[in-house]
Every structure is written in structure tokens, then in C-alpha cells.
Amino acid sequence: AVSNIVNLVNSNVIVDDWTLAFINILGSWEGNIQFGKPDLSVTEIAQSSPDPAEPGGLIDYQIVITNKGDAPATAVEVSADFDEDLVVPTELDGGEVVDGKVVWSVDTIGIGEIIVKHYQAQIKEEASNNDEVNNAASAWGVQGDRNPDDNVAHTRVVVYGGQGLQVGWGYPVNLGNGNQPPVDDLVY
């Protein structure tokens, strides 16, 4: 029976994964042959509260992982690499902080299945005006991925206010609306 399976693989499998299929059949034959491959796609959304973001405020991150492939993805690690200098994770939705990342383990993401992970981070009080809070979310399974280019998504939130905020950048501000004379001196 094994020789028939090997002949089937050797004669009929003409894809980029024939070696993987051949090893799987000989290594752990359980009665099903699977030649597909997962294709995890990651999207990330960041929303600050208040909006615009400011020191002490919160950023809610939503990470959406979709398996667009033709095989389930197993032993998937979803991670969010956050900016340790500017934020502190506060709510982790079952994840854990490991080496500057929020990490979730997912057993299986089925064909066409969508999963969503959330976490929240607080912007540190010492954040300065125009600081950029960068985040990179990713998902990887043990089988590899048909299209690894869409396994990582990035977001950026710009902090408004905080240290270094200057109105008018040291120059006099001249405010006026067509009916009233402009204000010559503005105290800030």
C-alpha cells in the first residue's frame, strides 16, 4: 500500500510542495493526503481615545487574521510588536507580553476562517508632541505561508500635545475673522 502511495506522489504531484507532501506521507501517514497550504493575511486597526492621541490616552488595537489558503493553519503565533518607549499594554485579550510584543497562540485557523485579537495600550505621560507610536502585527503558522507578504501589518498613531507642544512656534499669532480686527498679542 505504501508503494502505491509513493507512486501516486511521484507520478501525479506537480506543485511547489511535492517534497513536503512526500515527507508527510512517509513520516506520519494517517490516511489523508493534503497538498494545500495556508495563506494568513493580517490587517490592523488602531484607534486612539481621545482622538487625536495625547499622553495618558489609550490606543485600541484590533488585529484581524484571515486564512485565505486552501489548508488550515496550525500552531499559529499572532503577535503585536509595540513601541515600548511610548506605550504600556493594559488589556491583552488573553495574550501575554513577551520581549516587547503582545503574543497570542492559536491552535488552528481553518480555511476561510477569520479571527480577531484586541489589545489596548496607554500612551506614556512623557510622550512628546509629534511622537509616532508604531506597531507591527503579524501571524505565522508552522506550515509556512503561500503568500508571506501579507502576514504583517503596520499602524502609526501620532501623539498630539505633551512635551514640546508649541502654539505658533514662538512667533506672534494673528487671529481674525473678516469682521473684527486681528488679535495682535496672544498669550499662551
Side-chain angles (χ1 to χ4, degrees):
V2 172
S3 64
N4 290 338
I5 294 170
V6 172
N7 288 336
L8 171 75
V9 171
N10 286 335
S11 63
N12 294 329
V13 178
I14 303 174
V15 295
D16 59 346
D17 293 329
W18 72 270
T19 304
L20 180 64
F22 186 70
I23 291 169
N24 281 345
I25 291 171
L26 293 180
S28 62
W29 173 248
E30 295 177 8
N32 63 353
I33 300 176
Q34 198 172 59
F35 297 107
K37 199 167 193 179
D39 179 15
L40 299 177
S41 175
V42 178
T43 305
E44 181 178 44
I45 301 166
Q47 176 139 7
S48 65
S49 174
D51 187 10
E54 60 186 41
L58 297 172
I59 303 173
D60 289 309
Y61 291 97
Q62 179 178 343
I63 303 164
V64 179
I65 303 99
T66 306
N67 183 356
K68 298 179 178 179
D70 52 7
T74 58
V76 177
E77 180 179 282
V78 178
S79 67
D81 189 355
F82 62 90
D83 192 333
E84 294 176 278
D85 295 332
L86 295 174
V87 298
V88 176
T90 57
E91 294 183 26
L92 303 178
D93 186 27
E96 61 180 327
V97 176
V98 179
D99 297 327
K101 297 179 182 181
V102 179
V103 179
W104 298 267
S105 294
V106 180
D107 290 335
T108 302
I109 302 176
I111 300 168
E113 185 177 359
I114 298 171
I115 65 164
V116 179
K117 296 294 180 185
H118 300 270
Y119 85 97
Q120 189 175 75
Q122 183 170 27
I123 302 170
K124 292 182 179 180
E125 291 293 338
E126 57 268 17
S128 298
N129 189 47
N130 290 325
D131 275 347
E132 294 180 355
V133 180
N134 294 298
N135 194 74
S138 63
W140 301 95
V142 295
Q143 298 90 348
D145 199 272
R146 190 168 300 283
N147 177 13
D149 294 337
D150 61 356
N151 287 51
V152 180
H154 300 272
T155 56
R156 179 181 64 195
V157 175
V158 179
V159 177
Y160 177 77
Q163 300 176 16
L165 176 64
Q166 297 178 349
V167 177
W169 294 272
Y171 299 103
V173 177
N174 192 354
L175 301 175
N177 62 19
N179 299 325
Q180 297 181 3
V183 177
D184 291 325
D185 295 310
L186 180 65
V187 178
Y188 25 66

